[in-house]
Amino acid sequence: MPSTARWPRRVVIAVAFTVTLLAMAVPAGAHPYGYPQTVTVAADATRPEVVRLTWKAGGVDELTLLGVKLGLLPQDRVLLDGAISFQTSDATVLATSAPFASYLLTQMTVSSDGHACTGVVDPPSDLVGSGVDVDYTCAGPVGAARVEVRMLSDLDQAYQTVATGPQGKRQVYGPGRYAHDWALGAAPAAGGADHDRDHDRAATWKVAGSVGPLLLVAAVVPLLRRQVRRRRFLAPNKGENSP
């Protein structure tokens, strides 16, 4: 077969190999063990001085791991091979404990106009399903707030948190980016609208960087298979026409 007929297959193989390597090099989304933990940032419609953060774990294993870290659950929940043995009661123990509430207020902070806001944890009724709400009361109506999130970073620095704010704005918290300014009212966040748009684009590219290579691999592999099947189909015909 002429070299020009083999060229597309070589290109497809090279692209698939390169994209696979890129996919392997991209961190897996939001934290070391699976789905990322999330935080929702919102203003209170009836209390303009209050900022509400809602934290939700990425998986139940994280709740167990945190419970062990805080001394609320026995060490044998973490097995020798590193696997985590979750029990339904683990979330209940964590949700009703003072150490967990203190941990939330330490790892998530809110400030407005350079002054720290006071947080109060709303005891969660369904920590696994809906997460936990923390209300931060500031000195006055909040137009812009600086929110810092370091949840689970003391367990593993690779943990990240995907945050969603007003009007669907997004931010990824993680190593080197634990603080972000959010516009919650009439006053713009520090940096203005252009700053917000830049952060939105950056967050979008972080998510795309994690998922995009995998989608490319999924698209390239079927093409490669079609090329292989085509060559197998044409091979006998080539043999019959040979002198």
Side-chain angles (χ1 to χ4, degrees):
M1 181 179 294
S3 60
T4 53
R6 292 196 301 268
W7 179 82
R9 182 187 177 194
R10 289 202 300 270
V11 172
V12 171
I13 292 174
V15 171
F17 180 72
T18 302
V19 171
T20 300
L21 290 180
L22 289 174
M24 293 172 61
V26 174
H31 69 65
Y33 307 111
Y35 290 104
Q37 56 186 331
T38 62
V39 166
T40 301
V41 182
D44 191 299
T46 60
R47 297 175 296 170
E49 73 281 6
V50 172
V51 178
R52 169 167 290 187
L53 303 186
T54 301
W55 176 78
K56 186 176 179 180
V60 293
D61 57 340
E62 293 174 344
L63 298 177
T64 300
L65 195 62
L66 182 56
V68 173
K69 158 75 175 179
L70 296 177
L72 301 171
L73 298 173
Q75 291 285 342
D76 61 11
R77 287 286 194 277
V78 181
L79 307 181
L80 293 178
D81 61 358
I84 299 173
S85 174
F86 171 77
Q87 296 182 11
T88 305
S89 59
D90 292 352
T92 302
V93 171
L94 203 63
T96 57
S97 71
F100 177 57
S102 177
Y103 181 82
L104 289 167
L105 296 175
T106 300
Q107 300 299 103
M108 298 193 302
T109 60
V110 176
S111 60
S112 179
D113 292 329
H115 301 286
C117 304
T118 302
V120 176
V121 178
D122 183 12
S125 58
D126 183 7
L127 183 58
V128 173
S130 56
V132 55
D133 295 329
V134 186
D135 286 347
Y136 294 83
T137 303
C138 305
V142 181
R146 167 155 289 200
V147 177
E148 298 188 26
V149 178
R150 291 180 171 81
M151 289 296 293
L152 307 183
S153 61
D154 54 334
L155 302 182
D156 191 319
Q157 291 186 349
Y159 274 102
Q160 297 188 72
T161 305
V162 176
T164 304
Q167 301 179 350
K169 293 187 179 297
R170 299 245 195 275
Q171 172 67 15
V172 179
Y173 287 95
R177 51 180 189 276
Y178 289 117
H180 181 65
D181 295 321
W182 297 88
L184 300 175
D194 291 339
H195 183 267
D196 286 341
R197 282 194 293 270
D198 290 341
H199 273 283
D200 290 344
R201 292 191 191 101
T204 300
W205 277 110
K206 289 185 184 80
V207 175
S210 299
V211 178
L214 299 178
L215 295 177
L216 286 174
V217 171
V220 168
V221 169
L223 178 60
L224 176 58
R225 288 175 177 171
R226 285 197 296 271
Q227 290 284 341
V228 172
R229 285 198 298 268
R230 181 175 178 274
R231 290 202 62 190
R232 287 176 179 173
F233 176 77
L234 294 177
N237 294 334
K238 177 184 175 183
E240 292 173 2
N241 296 330
S242 299

